[in-house]
């Protein structure tokens, strides 16, 4: 069985399992699973399911989901259609079938603009909600994206393809098929088709100067790119050009810079002098020497890591001052970073390129110490078997996309069974999952409702801002309590669709609001949820589960009954006012819920006790390592440190104490200090030692 077939089998099993557990039809479960993929990949922001199928005249119309952010000046409306083939083996889909499905989306958008279509729909129906939104927002829409998601294999490799216009608004189409979904899930790679062909597709090659010496770690070039060409490239690829950009990654979308716009409109000849330009990366480039110097012909996986606002502003000027763009030129620094080094190098280029303008949590990527620490905990800390289990397991944290699949895939069939037992798939979670659990508990359900990446950006700001001050607080106790939050959150995800009051839709909003509500109401009584008990049991106690469902019912009532003038419930759930409404609403939890809560002092005592036990263990481990190294090692380290004059008097005394082994065993405190001294001196070792 090849890798793609195995992935398809696993995907279908998960979808069917989710559908059964959550009371969804199979296509809904599939789309719900893919929604986070599309969000994390930068394809859409905060996808909302909105199934509608019908006729408008003789035309078949259909839509399964949409994404629209009225605060985003790019004005992109994304409409999604789902195609799920219920077969054991992956099936193929041809261009004709793709066109037929995408045409249904087109016809829905066209119909949504007409009053006749809207007036024939029930006002509470999905079709009316979305068509009403489209009609109201039409003047703000600058681009329409048609997206097909399917578990079939697309034989016609096209991406971000222009397919004309609707009412003067440009339309592009995109297909997320089985191989593309698999690429993202297994490695985070979605962009194999993002090749910017400057020479063929975008008018002309770009003249460049080589800025790196032969044998340098990376190729580098300096270029000057015409503004009109840059605007055209951005028109095709949009925010996907900015996926590696810190600001794009953290979804910190500010208003388009008015100063840049004014310069383009009033003084385009001075744009080059006034603007700092772009910093870009590519996995590979085609450079041609055509007699007049070097020219950039094409770039594979071209990414703008600094200058996203400049690019978006130039793109906006394409409409506002198109005649001025011919006089606009932008400086660009381009570094070629092979794919195998991109994860480590591109974030650093982005971080340092953005350093002249402060960016909150600029380095909060997969290699940030926070993520590395959580990953280390997840590989080491055993979760209790609880009162319903029979063996200890672990929770697998995937700090970099594809780690879980890679760890499992490189094992033999026999070892995979051991891996699956140690790391059950139900105990696998990603960075954006972590952000959902944590920000729900921090009573920010309206932020969680904004979508995976925007919510992750919020967590990045919160954690990144206090990491240097309070990094020690993100310890094993914090990790265990994080898992307890995950257990509560995921239990609610399963239970909500089974409730009589649940009418379908908005499950994700209801879950985050419900968790936030019980935390908020406990806090009002100066109490806390007993997360340590949830960790110990590895399940939600029945009294807490009942309270969660009571909060979920209240959340459902608030979300599905927005104030007058607001028709779109998904948009209502993204507003702080929605959370304020639920926060003040009384909920009858039952006395046993209040009795299950704990005092903050009790939680703090448990934290102190756990940290003291860990410090003791660390001291014993340090002492053991000092003994294993032996007296000769510590004597030689002492002499080396003295020879390069890098030891204080106190540090020399500690090393002398270790050098008296085995006649005298250093204390735990001395042992910890000795290992720290060894780490400090390591950087001064001769290179050939």
């Amino acid at each position: 069985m090849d890798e793609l077939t195995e992935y398809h089998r696993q995907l279908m099993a998960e979808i069917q399992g989710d559908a059964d557990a959550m009371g969804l039809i199979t296509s809904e479960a599939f789309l719900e699973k893919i929604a986070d993929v599309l969000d994390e990949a930068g394809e859409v922001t905060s996808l909302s399911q909105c199934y509608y199928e019908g006729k408008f005249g003789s035309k078949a119309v259909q839509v399964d989901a949409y994404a629209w952010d009225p605060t985003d000046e790019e004005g992109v409306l994304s409409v999604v259609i789902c195609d799920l083939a219920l077969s054991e083996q992956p099936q193929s889909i041809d261009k004709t079938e793709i066109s037929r499905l995408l045409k249904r989306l087109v016809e829905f958008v066209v119909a949504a603009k007409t009053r006749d279509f809207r007036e024939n729909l029930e006002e509470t129906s999905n079709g009316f909600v979305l068509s009403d939104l489209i009609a109201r927002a039409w003047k703000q829409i600058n681009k329409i994206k048609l997206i097909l998601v399917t578990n079939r294999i697309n034989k016609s490799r096209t991406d971000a393809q222009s397919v004309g216009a609707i009412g003067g608004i440009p339309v592009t189409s995109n297909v997320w098929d089985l191989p593309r979904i698999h690429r993202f899930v297994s490695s985070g790679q979605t962009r194999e088709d993002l090749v910017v062909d400057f020479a063929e597709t975008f008018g002309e090659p770009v003249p460049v100067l080589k800025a790196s010496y032969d044998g340098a770690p990376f190729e580098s070039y300096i270029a000057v790119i015409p503004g009109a060409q840059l605007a055209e490239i951005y028109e095709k690829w949009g925010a996907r050009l900015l996926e590696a950009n810190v600001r794009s990654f953290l979804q910190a979308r500010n208003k388009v810079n008015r100063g840049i716009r004014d310069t383009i409109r009033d003084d385009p000849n001075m744009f080059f002098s006034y603007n700092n330009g772009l910093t870009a990366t590519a996995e590979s480039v085609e450079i041609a020497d055509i007699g007049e110097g070097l020219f950039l012909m094409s770039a594979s996986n071209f990414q703008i890591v600094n200058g996203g606002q400049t690019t978006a502003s130039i793109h906006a000027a394409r409409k506002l001052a198109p005649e001025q763009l011919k006089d606009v030129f932008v400086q660009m620094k381009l570094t070629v970073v092979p794919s195998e080094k991109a994860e480590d190098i591109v974030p650093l280029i982005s971080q340092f390129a953005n350093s002249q303008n402060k960016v909150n949590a600029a380095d909060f990527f997969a290699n940030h110490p926070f993520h590395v620490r959580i990953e280390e905990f997840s590989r080491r800390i055993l979760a209790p078997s609880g009162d319903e289990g029979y063996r200890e397991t672990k929770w697998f944290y995937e700090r970099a996309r594809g780690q879980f699949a890679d760890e499992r895939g490189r094992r033999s069939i026999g070892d995979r069974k051991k891996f699956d037992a140690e790391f059950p798939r139900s105990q696998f979670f990603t960075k954006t999952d972590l952000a959902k659990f944590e920000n729900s508990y921090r009573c920010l359900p309206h932020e969680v409702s904004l979508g995976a990446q925007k919510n992750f950006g919020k967590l990045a700001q919160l954690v990144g801002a206090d990491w240097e001050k309070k990094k020690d607080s993100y310890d094993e106790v914090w990790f265990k309590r994080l898992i307890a939050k995950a257990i509560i959150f995921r239990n609610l995800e399963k239970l909500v669709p089974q409730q009589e009051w649940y009418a379908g839709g908005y499950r994700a909003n209801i879950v985050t609001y419900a968790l936030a509500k019980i935390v908020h109401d406990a806090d009002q009584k100066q109490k806390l949820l007993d997360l340590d008990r949830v960790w110990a049991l590895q399940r939600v106690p029945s009294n807490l589960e009942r309270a969660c469902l009571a909060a979920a019912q209240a959340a459902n009532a608030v979300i599905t009954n927005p104030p007058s003038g607001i028709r779109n419930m998904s948009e209502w759930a993204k507003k702080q006012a929605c959370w304020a409404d639920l926060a003040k609403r009384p909920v009858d939890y039952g006395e046993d819920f209040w009795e299950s809560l704990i005092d903050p002092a009790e939680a703090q005592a448990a934290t102190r006790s756990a940290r003291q036990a860990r410090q003791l263990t660390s001291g014993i481990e340090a002492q053991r390592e000092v003994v294993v190294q032996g007296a000769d090692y510590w004597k030689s380290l002492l002499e080396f440190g003295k020879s390069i004059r890098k030891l204080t008097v106190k540090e020399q005394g500690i090393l002398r104490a270790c050098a008296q082994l085995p006649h005298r065993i250093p204390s735990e405190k001395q042992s910890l200090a000795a290992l720290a001294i060894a780490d400090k001196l390591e950087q001064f070792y001769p290179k050939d030692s």
Side-chain angles (χ1 to χ4, degrees):
M1 185 182 294
D2 64 36
E3 188 177 349
L4 190 63
T5 302
E6 167 65 17
Y7 174 70
H8 180 263
R9 185 196 62 76
Q10 175 187 309
L11 176 67
M12 294 304 292
E14 289 176 12
I15 291 167
Q16 194 58 60
D18 289 347
D20 293 342
M22 300 177 191
L24 304 173
I25 63 174
T26 317
S27 59
E28 286 178 333
F30 172 58
L31 194 52
E32 186 151 310
K33 183 173 286 292
I34 303 306
D36 282 346
V37 170
L38 297 179
D39 198 329
E40 289 185 52
E43 190 69 76
V44 300
T45 300
S46 184
L47 193 71
S48 299
Q49 291 210 36
C50 190
Y51 172 73
Y52 176 80
E53 185 175 5
K55 289 269 192 181
F56 181 59
S58 61
K59 308 286 188 181
V61 299
Q62 183 180 340
V63 64
D64 289 295
Y66 73 95
W68 167 251
D69 182 355
T71 65
D72 181 7
E73 288 198 0
E74 290 180 20
V76 178
L77 169 70
S78 299
V79 284
V80 180
I81 193 165
C82 178
D83 169 66
L84 183 66
L86 299 177
S87 57
E88 291 187 9
Q89 296 295 317
Q91 305 296 308
S92 62
I93 184 169
D94 60 23
K95 189 174 181 179
T96 302
E97 181 67 4
I98 290 172
S99 297
R100 185 187 70 81
L101 290 166
L102 293 178
K103 186 170 174 52
R104 289 179 165 226
L105 286 175
V106 172
E107 296 297 347
F108 178 86
V109 174
V110 171
K113 293 175 57 190
T114 67
R115 183 175 295 176
D116 286 350
F117 179 71
R118 298 194 302 275
E119 287 182 347
N120 285 317
L121 296 173
E122 170 59 46
E123 283 201 10
T124 58
S125 70
N126 288 333
F128 179 82
V129 168
L130 179 53
S131 58
D132 181 67
L133 181 151
I134 291 172
R136 288 168 177 259
W138 190 255
K139 290 183 179 179
Q140 295 173 259
I141 298 172
N142 297 321
K143 184 177 180 180
I144 298 170
K145 289 170 67 172
L146 313 175
I147 301 172
L148 167 64
V149 294
T150 178
N151 66 331
R152 294 199 274 176
I153 300 170
N154 176 16
K155 295 298 186 182
S156 58
R157 308 304 315 168
T158 56
D159 190 19
Q161 186 175 6
S162 176
V163 292
I166 299 175
I169 297 173
V171 181
T172 61
S173 67
N174 234 323
V175 179
W176 278 78
D177 66 341
L178 183 69
R180 189 172 181 184
I181 295 166
H182 177 242
R183 278 200 307 277
F184 183 80
V185 170
S186 61
S187 66
Q189 174 60 265
T190 68
R191 301 180 298 264
E192 70 175 17
D193 295 322
L194 204 166
V195 177
V196 179
D197 192 329
F198 297 92
E200 291 291 329
T201 310
F202 298 105
E204 58 183 354
V206 178
V208 297
L209 292 174
K210 191 168 184 179
S212 56
Y213 58 87
D214 291 341
F218 303 102
E219 287 180 65
S220 297
Y221 298 90
I222 300 294
V224 176
I225 183 169
Q229 188 178 37
L230 182 62
E232 192 178 345
I233 293 169
Y234 190 79
E235 174 66 21
K236 178 176 175 67
W237 299 110
R240 285 181 60 197
L241 288 173
L242 313 177
E243 285 169 32
N245 186 299
V246 172
R247 291 182 177 85
S248 177
F249 184 80
L250 298 183
Q251 296 292 313
R253 290 184 176 176
N254 300 318
K255 296 289 185 183
V256 172
N257 191 299
R258 305 294 175 187
I260 297 176
R261 278 191 184 179
D262 291 346
T263 301
I264 295 171
R265 185 189 64 221
D266 302 329
D267 209 357
N269 292 303
M270 295 303 295
F271 189 91
F272 184 87
S273 300
Y274 292 164
N275 190 267
N276 289 330
L278 314 178
T279 301
T281 64
E283 288 185 1
S284 63
V285 295
E286 180 187 353
I287 303 290
D289 186 346
I290 55 178
E292 300 173 359
L294 300 178
F295 287 82
L296 174 64
M297 309 299 286
S298 67
S300 174
N301 194 12
F302 181 73
Q303 293 278 282
I304 296 169
V305 298
N306 184 37
Q309 193 175 80
T310 293
T311 306
S313 298
I314 289 174
H315 176 258
R318 194 171 184 248
K319 274 191 173 182
L320 300 175
E323 70 286 349
Q324 304 294 74
L325 277 186
K326 69 180 187 304
D327 297 321
V328 171
F329 294 88
V330 187
Q331 176 185 303
M332 179 175 70
K333 181 176 71 174
L334 175 65
T335 304
V336 182
V337 183
S339 58
E340 64 272 13
K341 296 184 179 179
E343 182 184 323
D344 295 325
I345 301 301
V346 172
L348 293 176
I349 294 174
S350 183
Q351 177 186 344
F352 296 129
N354 279 289
S355 62
Q356 69 271 25
N357 299 310
K358 180 171 174 57
V359 180
N360 286 332
D363 57 346
F364 204 72
F365 287 80
N367 53 1
H368 186 280
F370 169 82
H371 298 298
V372 174
R373 182 179 294 183
I374 301 304
E375 176 191 41
E376 188 271 324
F377 289 156
S378 78
R379 304 301 191 271
R380 175 171 57 80
I381 296 176
L382 284 165
S385 58
D387 59 356
E388 295 181 351
Y390 64 92
R391 61 166 291 170
E392 295 175 319
T393 56
K394 294 175 183 173
W395 285 73
F396 191 104
Y397 177 57
E398 188 176 71
R399 70 173 177 85
R401 179 58 84 169
Q403 282 183 318
F404 187 85
D406 182 60
E407 286 284 337
R408 187 177 183 276
R410 63 186 176 82
R411 287 168 163 76
S412 66
I413 293 176
D415 285 342
R416 280 184 197 175
K417 290 181 180 178
K418 294 178 184 176
F419 180 85
D420 292 343
E422 183 179 15
F423 296 103
R425 189 162 187 88
S426 61
Q427 294 176 196
F428 156 78
F429 64 110
T430 66
K431 295 192 298 296
T432 51
D433 290 330
L434 184 156
K436 281 194 293 189
F437 308 148
E438 185 62 19
N439 280 349
S440 296
Y441 198 84
R442 290 178 184 232
C443 296
L444 298 170
H446 50 296
E447 298 282 356
V448 177
S449 296
L450 289 172
Q453 284 305 309
K454 284 191 175 182
N455 180 53
F456 178 76
K458 182 65 176 180
L459 183 70
Q461 293 170 6
L462 295 171
V463 174
D466 68 359
W467 173 257
E468 291 306 322
K469 300 181 218 169
K470 300 192 296 183
K471 66 174 70 173
D472 289 344
S473 66
Y474 296 98
D475 58 5
E476 293 185 16
V477 175
W478 189 91
F479 174 80
K480 291 175 181 178
R481 290 173 179 171
L482 168 70
I483 299 304
K485 298 166 193 173
I487 292 169
I488 298 169
F489 191 98
R490 288 185 168 172
N491 189 58
L492 259 174
E493 284 186 313
K494 292 178 181 178
L495 291 177
V496 163
Q498 301 170 13
Q499 306 309 304
E500 290 183 2
W501 47 259
Y502 181 70
Y506 317 111
R507 178 183 69 105
N509 306 115
I510 293 168
V511 170
T512 181
Y513 269 79
L515 178 51
K517 176 63 174 171
I518 59 170
V519 173
H520 170 272
D521 287 356
D523 182 65
Q524 294 298 296
K525 301 270 189 180
Q526 298 184 320
K527 296 284 188 177
L528 296 172
L529 305 189
D530 192 349
L531 296 176
D532 295 333
R533 185 175 181 225
V534 175
W535 164 260
L537 294 173
Q538 289 292 292
R539 65 172 178 83
V540 182
S542 56
N543 50 6
L544 178 56
E545 186 175 275
R546 286 192 293 272
C548 285
L549 287 174
Q553 186 171 5
N556 178 68
V558 169
I559 292 167
T560 57
N561 292 281
S564 176
I566 299 178
R567 298 185 180 184
N568 192 295
M569 298 171 197
S570 292
E571 296 307 311
W572 166 233
K574 297 173 186 176
K575 297 183 182 297
Q576 201 278 335
C578 183
W579 165 237
D581 192 345
L582 178 63
K584 67 186 180 185
R585 181 168 295 213
V587 175
D588 182 9
Y589 295 113
E591 195 57 37
D592 59 346
F593 168 66
W594 300 111
E595 291 172 356
S596 72
L597 301 177
I598 60 173
D599 292 322
E602 188 178 344
Q604 290 168 2
T607 300
R608 283 195 300 271
S609 175
R611 287 173 182 167
Q612 288 168 359
R614 188 177 70 256
Q615 287 169 358
L616 179 62
T617 302
S618 299
I620 293 170
E621 289 173 350
Q623 198 174 42
R624 184 183 300 116
E625 187 171 341
V626 167
V627 171
V628 168
Q629 292 292 346
D632 289 343
Y633 170 80
W634 298 108
K635 287 175 187 174
S636 63
L637 192 66
L638 174 61
E639 293 306 315
F640 173 70
K642 288 167 64 178
S643 71
I644 60 173
R645 299 182 180 180
K646 294 294 181 182
L647 290 175
T648 66
V649 173
K650 181 178 179 181
E651 288 172 336
Q652 291 181 39
I654 289 170
L655 294 183
R656 285 196 187 96
C658 295
Q660 294 179 36
L661 287 165
H663 307 295
R664 181 175 178 271
I665 305 295
S667 67
E668 292 175 17
K669 189 174 180 179
Q670 286 176 319
S671 298
L672 288 166
L675 294 178
I677 295 167
D679 288 342
K680 183 184 84 168
L681 293 180
E682 184 178 358
Q683 63 182 302
F684 301 107
Y685 290 171
K687 295 298 181 186
D688 59 349
S689 65

